[in-house]
Amino acid sequence: MPETNHSLETEFILLGFTDNQNLKVLLFVVFSAIYLVTMVGNLGLVALIYMERRLHTPMYIFLGNLALMDSCCSCAIAPKMLQNFFSEDRRISLYECMTQLYFLCLAETADCFLLAAMAYDRYVAICSPLQYHTLMSKKLCIQMTIGTLIASNLHSMIHTTFLLRLTFCRSHKIDHFFCDILPLYKLSCTDPFINELMIYIFSMPIQIFTISTVLISYLYIIFTIFRMKSKEGRGRAFSTCASHFLSVSIFYICLLTYIRPFKEEYKGILVSIFYTIVIPLLNPFIYSLRNKEVINVLKKVMRTYNILKLQPLLQTVFNFWKCFHK
């Protein structure tokens, strides 16, 4: 066997989307705008929740952490992707790959737990409103948030650390725009069976637990809503769940589309764009621009900092997003 087949790769080349220069310019502009809006939207939402005491409730604490994790996801993927549009040197080291994977896995795992926690919060608010402050106390909310961050870090560390057992000697070209775990398995000369087994052992229980929590919560919510006699009450209950239900649906449709048998040909770039770029972009707008309380707080902050001169522009943006959601 030729000697080159035994050389170990510690650097990879991200092939990205295309080699067409005109298309690269277009994609760079589009993804740069998405990245900028994503960071402003998510970090702005975090700042808004932090500054306004009215938003220091379990639902908004979970939402703030979700926005923080979405920012983390974008920061892990977008800068390197944007750099590679015009860089001749698209190399990325194994340790940079591991860093990308660590923060991506951290963000996605935390999103699963946070969306499940938010579903439980809506269940308590609608099905047991009189016991809400007892069942969803701030102490329990903080414990759930800390537990989410600890579990997500441990889960991410497990999969990232197990990458070190793999040797890469077949090729150094990754047909993707970031270091995703499945393309790396394809390049490995070491059998990735143990790594795949770790995914099934640790990731599948997380998915089953969080999806079950969301489904059970919404089943109880739907039964409770249909038992309400007041149409106004039913409409109000539905409106409080609409944003979360839309966000959960988009997230899990993308995630379940991405999860497939490891022996199949990897064709998940389009799905990866959705769960690493599009979902972090949409979440702050889904939760804030359809939420009167958040909009009122935003107007109050604008009034406080005397930036109402931007009101016509912001009103145009609000009208656009209202049309988008109709």
Side-chain angles (χ1 to χ4, degrees), residues 120 123-125 127-137:
Y120 175 73
Y123 155 74
V124 175
C127 300
S128 304
L130 298 179
Q131 296 178 292
Y132 179 78
H133 293 291
T134 303
L135 296 176
M136 279 302 297
S137 63

Side-chain angles (χ1 to χ4, degrees), residues 15-167:
L15 297 182
F17 296 100
T18 180
D19 290 325
N20 185 303
Q21 289 299 323
N22 293 329
L23 193 55
K24 277 185 176 182
V25 173
L26 176 62
L27 290 174
F28 177 80
V29 171
V30 170
F31 285 123
S32 294
I34 289 174
Y35 179 54
L36 178 62
V37 173
T38 299
M39 296 306 295
V40 171
N42 281 292
L43 294 181
L45 187 57
V46 171
L48 204 64
I49 292 170
Y50 175 78
M51 289 189 297
E52 182 56 47
R53 291 186 62 86
R54 273 190 298 168
L55 300 182
H56 292 180
T57 61
M59 184 64 177
Y60 289 107
I61 291 173
F62 293 140
L63 179 56
N65 282 277
L66 184 71
L68 202 59
M69 289 298 103
D70 284 342
S71 301
C72 176
C73 179
S74 293
C75 287
I77 304 301
K80 187 68 177 178
M81 176 189 69
L82 294 173
Q83 176 192 339
N84 286 344
F85 276 120
F86 298 108
S87 174
E88 293 183 4
D89 181 13
R90 290 179 289 181
R91 289 180 297 178
I92 183 169
S93 71
L94 176 61
Y95 293 105
E96 286 178 303
C97 269
M98 292 175 68
T99 303
Q100 273 196 339
L101 278 173
Y102 174 81
F103 284 107
L104 179 63
C105 185
L106 169 68
E108 298 301 329
T109 306
D111 278 2
C112 290
F113 282 116
L114 289 169
L115 289 171
M118 292 165 78
Y120 175 73
D121 176 84
R122 293 300 85 198
Y123 155 74
V124 175
I126 292 172
C127 300
S128 304
L130 298 179
Q131 296 178 292
Y132 179 78
H133 293 291
T134 303
L135 296 176
M136 279 302 297
S137 63
K138 282 192 177 180
K139 181 180 178 181
L140 176 61
C141 175
I142 292 170
Q143 288 173 343
M144 291 171 73
T145 304
I146 293 173
T148 291
L149 295 176
I150 292 173
S152 301
N153 271 285
L154 290 175
H155 183 238
S156 185
M157 287 173 63
I158 288 168
H159 295 305
T160 306
T161 304
F162 267 85
L163 277 180
L164 294 173
R165 67 174 292 274
L166 302 180
T167 53

Side-chain angles (χ1 to χ4, degrees), residues 113-234:
F113 282 116
L114 289 169
L115 289 171
M118 292 165 78
Y120 175 73
D121 176 84
R122 293 300 85 198
Y123 155 74
V124 175
I126 292 172
C127 300
S128 304
L130 298 179
Q131 296 178 292
Y132 179 78
H133 293 291
T134 303
L135 296 176
M136 279 302 297
S137 63
K138 282 192 177 180
K139 181 180 178 181
L140 176 61
C141 175
I142 292 170
Q143 288 173 343
M144 291 171 73
T145 304
I146 293 173
T148 291
L149 295 176
I150 292 173
S152 301
N153 271 285
L154 290 175
H155 183 238
S156 185
M157 287 173 63
I158 288 168
H159 295 305
T160 306
T161 304
F162 267 85
L163 277 180
L164 294 173
R165 67 174 292 274
L166 302 180
T167 53
F168 302 94
C169 56
R170 289 177 182 165
S171 172
H172 62 291
K173 294 181 179 179
I174 300 176
D175 189 13
H176 215 301
F177 62 93
F178 72 97
C179 276
D180 204 357
I181 199 164
L182 302 186
L184 285 174
Y185 287 173
K186 287 178 62 179
L187 300 181
S188 174
C189 294
T190 309
D191 186 355
F193 172 76
I194 299 297
N195 299 67
E196 295 173 3
L197 186 62
M198 291 298 104
I199 289 180
Y200 283 116
I201 290 174
F202 291 100
S203 299
M204 293 307 291
I206 290 173
Q207 298 305 323
I208 292 169
F209 170 74
T210 54
I211 292 174
S212 299
T213 302
V214 171
L215 289 176
I216 292 170
S217 296
Y218 271 101
L219 282 174
Y220 277 103
I221 288 170
I222 290 169
F223 289 144
T224 302
I225 289 175
F226 280 117
R227 278 164 34 197
M228 292 179 179
K229 296 179 180 179
S230 167
K231 286 185 179 180
E232 185 181 344
R234 284 200 296 267

